Each structure stands twice: as C-alpha cells, then as structure tokens.
Amino acid sequence: MAKPAPSRAWQRMLSGRRLDLLDPSPLDVEIEDIAHGLARVARWNGQTKGAHAFSVAQHCVLVERLTAELKPGLTRQARLAALLHDAPEYVIGDLISPFKAAVGIDYKDFELRLLAAIHLRFGLPARTPEPLIKLFKQADIASAYFEATQLAGFTSQEAKRYFGTPPKDLRVPRLVPLAVAEAQALFLERFHKLGG
C-alpha cells in the first residue's frame, strides 16, 4: 500500500518564493511579500469602524512610531525590528490572543522561527534582545489601546482593563484605516526609510 503524500507545509508567495512554514529560510523572505500580506490582514478580525479594515501593516507602522516615542534615540536597526515585530502574520494571519491560547500547539515557537528568518533576511539578529522585546510589547499594548478605543468599539474603561493606560507622554494618534494599496505603500515606505 502506498504511503499518503505528506501534507504541504509551504506557501507560494507572489514573488515566486516558496516559504517552508516549518523550516523557513531567510532566502525565501521578500519585503514585498510581507507588505502585500500584512496590508491584507485585518486587526481585530476586521471588526473595526471605517470603510476599510485596520491592517496589520498599519499597526506595525504605528508600533514602530510609538516605540520611537517611548525611547527616543533608538537605532534604525531597533526601529526596523519594531516595524517587523508582527511580520510573521503575512503568512499565518493575525490570530487574536484568546485564540492563540486555545490553539494548543506551541504557536509562539512557530511564530518565532518565522520571525528569526525574517530578521536574518534583513540583517537583524535572529533573536530580539529582551529589553527591546519589552519595549515593543509596551508600544504594542499602547497601540492596542488606541485601536480598541478609536476603531474597535471599546470604551476607555474596558480598554484600560484589558490593555492598561498608555503612557501619558505618548501623542495620541488619530487612526484611519487605509485601503489595502495605501497600507502596503505606507509599510514599504517606512521599511525603506529605516534602511531595510
């Protein structure tokens, strides 16, 4: 009896690359594929106000900006890592935190392997140093608060309960979900300005 063919564990990208999801290679990572994917992945499962979804691409640009506000003087390399903090979602989507907890596999390890390949592709350390991880998380949580209250229908009390109060010295951005092409261009522009 013939063995069944192994399940496909790779994704064909529009660049023509074939990304192995279980053993991702930096050689199969292209920034255009990342920008294309992230601009099409909706934050909050698409449950946001406006004519367009608030994309992960826009979220990444916001987190990079908030990171720079929280710690002025960061290197371009650190800011590039902030921009790419959710880059694996170009392939695996943006699973909401409660769902990640319920999945049951080591989802974080899977995500980190993909992020390591992305980092290596763009000249960053495979593993982000712990102080930067904490800084990115602080900016990520502040971003979630602003997104929740401006776009996802949360009251400020509800958002504070789940995300805490953002640091007072952060400038509150006015969030407007962009069309896919605009979000993609915004992400790519920021990437190139940071020297990626």
Side-chain angles (χ1 to χ4, degrees):
M1 186 192 272
K3 284 193 219 176
S7 298
R8 178 174 67 93
W10 53 268
Q11 170 72 49
R12 173 75 63 200
M13 300 296 160
L14 288 179
S15 65
R17 299 285 187 194
R18 188 171 123 167
L19 182 67
D20 184 332
L21 300 176
L22 301 178
D23 187 21
S25 167
L27 299 175
D28 293 324
V29 173
E30 297 292 342
I31 194 60
E32 291 79 10
D33 292 332
I34 293 172
H36 182 90
L38 294 183
R40 287 158 175 76
V41 176
R43 293 270 295 163
W44 308 92
N45 283 337
Q47 299 299 307
T48 53
K49 299 173 187 173
H52 306 285
F54 190 76
S55 71
V56 174
Q58 279 188 267
H59 165 76
C60 288
V61 171
L62 177 59
V63 168
E64 184 267 327
R65 192 193 110 200
L66 294 174
T67 297
E69 281 190 41
L70 288 166
K71 190 164 177 73
L74 280 176
T75 65
R76 281 180 179 238
Q77 189 179 46
R79 290 180 72 171
L80 181 60
L83 180 71
L84 296 171
H85 81 283
D86 277 342
E89 294 178 10
Y90 87 106
V91 176
I92 57 178
D94 183 22
L95 299 181
I96 60 173
S97 296
F99 187 73
K100 285 181 186 178
V103 168
I105 62 168
D106 193 348
Y107 189 85
K108 196 66 183 166
D109 181 59
F110 180 72
E111 218 172 13
L112 288 173
R113 273 186 280 144
L114 188 49
L115 185 60
I118 292 165
H119 276 197
L120 291 172
R121 170 65 176 89
F122 301 115
L124 299 170
R127 297 275 180 211
T128 305
E130 193 60 36
L132 284 181
I133 290 174
K134 289 179 180 174
L135 178 63
F136 298 166
K137 190 66 180 169
Q138 186 182 10
D140 199 31
I141 291 170
S143 177
Y145 175 91
F146 295 134
E147 293 170 29
T149 55
Q150 292 184 39
L151 302 172
F154 284 57
T155 65
S156 59
Q157 289 81 8
E158 193 176 27
K160 284 177 188 173
R161 183 170 56 240
Y162 293 110
F163 310 112
T165 304
K168 294 195 184 331
D169 54 340
L170 284 181
R171 289 176 288 152
V172 180
R174 182 174 175 273
L175 303 178
V176 178
L178 299 175
V180 168
E182 292 175 271
Q184 185 172 335
L186 176 71
F187 182 87
L188 282 172
E189 177 187 350
R190 198 68 203 127
F191 174 85
H192 292 301
K193 278 190 178 165
L194 292 171

